[in-house]
Amino acid sequence: MRTLLALSLSLSLSLILLSISAILTNAKFSEQSLELQSAHRADKVSHLHFYFHDVVSGKDPTAIVVAGKRNAFGMTTIIDDPLTEGPEPESRVVGRAQGVYTLSAKDGAALVMAMTFVFKEGKYNGSSISILGSNQYLEAVRELPVVGGTGAFRFARGYALAKTNKFVVRTGDAVVEYNVFVMHH
Ligand SMILES: *[C@@H]1O[C@H](CO)[C@@H](O)[C@H](O)[C@H]1NC(C)=O
């Protein structure tokens, strides 16, 4: 009887301590944001379409190899590539793709890309979309995840479909068509 009482006392005590620590944890580290949650339910879905110009050749490249051997496993390239409305290089610039890609497959058939599309046009001026994923660039259409965004693209989730529009074997320059489907705040 006494042991039972002692047991139930210590149980209630640990429950109280647990709830106190839960309250403290919730208050300090995380809490549900009902305000943001209700706004978040009104997600918009946007479809963005543009062309990515990866210029590795010439006097003013927008993609530079910073590590590894050219076209070999480990080759790492930093980019600040223009994004344009149409496929021609003179087409209107709507933003830039800034980030890094690395040849991450031993057979050289895939890149891991970590980049941000920073937009410069219209209502998306100053907003950005972050992309992180594997690009099996020999495939006709590659899918990359949208992992986040800023500005108009807060809470972004979605995917990007990349399709090579033009690739010049001699120079290595490429134009890639992007269709981005993004749910955001
Ligand atoms: C985008 O925003 C920047 C900074 O506010 C501004 O200087 C620029 O003119 C804007 N561009 C367009 C196309 O609206």
Side-chain angles (χ1 to χ4, degrees):
M1 195 63 196
R2 272 173 80 176
T3 36
L4 208 63
L5 193 68
L7 194 68
S8 78
L9 258 177
S10 83
L11 258 178
S12 352
L13 193 65
S14 34
L15 274 177
I16 290 167
L17 284 176
L18 259 177
S19 28
I20 288 173
S21 77
I23 289 165
L24 287 177
T25 308
N26 279 346
K28 284 208 155 74
F29 176 58
S30 71
E31 61 181 343
Q32 229 180 338
S33 171
L34 294 176
E35 197 185 324
L36 285 179
Q37 194 176 322
S38 63
H40 187 47
R41 283 214 187 91
D43 260 349
K44 295 185 201 100
V45 180
S46 299
H47 172 202
L48 308 171
H49 177 246
F50 49 81
Y51 293 84
F52 165 104
H53 298 258
D54 202 47
V55 182
V56 297
S57 69
K59 281 208 186 74
D60 190 21
T62 61
I64 56 165
V65 175
V66 294
K69 293 204 184 80
R70 195 163 278 278
N71 299 327
F73 178 50
M75 179 188 78
T76 300
T77 305
I78 303 281
I79 61 169
D80 184 2
D81 287 347
L83 304 173
T84 62
E85 210 166 34
E88 314 78 25
E90 321 65 59
S91 175
R92 192 163 67 107
V93 174
V94 295
R96 305 196 74 86
Q98 293 169 335
V100 57
Y101 60 77
T102 297
L103 267 174
S104 53
K106 288 278 281 172
D107 64 3
L111 305 162
V112 68
M113 300 189 88
M115 64 180 168
T116 301
F117 294 142
V118 183
F119 298 103
K120 308 279 185 197
E121 262 305 308
K123 62 177 172 176
Y124 297 137
N125 188 7
S127 297
S128 71
I129 288 177
S130 290
I131 300 280
L132 175 66
S134 172
N135 182 346
Q136 322 270 323
Y137 63 92
L138 299 173
E139 302 287 327
V141 180
R142 291 85 68 181
E143 181 177 337
L144 293 157
V146 168
V147 295
T150 65
F153 297 112
R154 280 181 182 174
F155 289 115
R157 287 171 292 148
Y159 61 97
L161 298 178
K163 191 175 166 192
T164 304
N165 175 267
K166 188 177 172 191
F167 178 69
V168 184
V169 178
R170 188 177 48 83
T171 59
D173 294 349
V175 179
V176 182
E177 181 181 9
Y178 271 89
N179 276 289
V180 182
F181 298 88
V182 61
M183 286 166 70
H184 56 98
H185 178 59

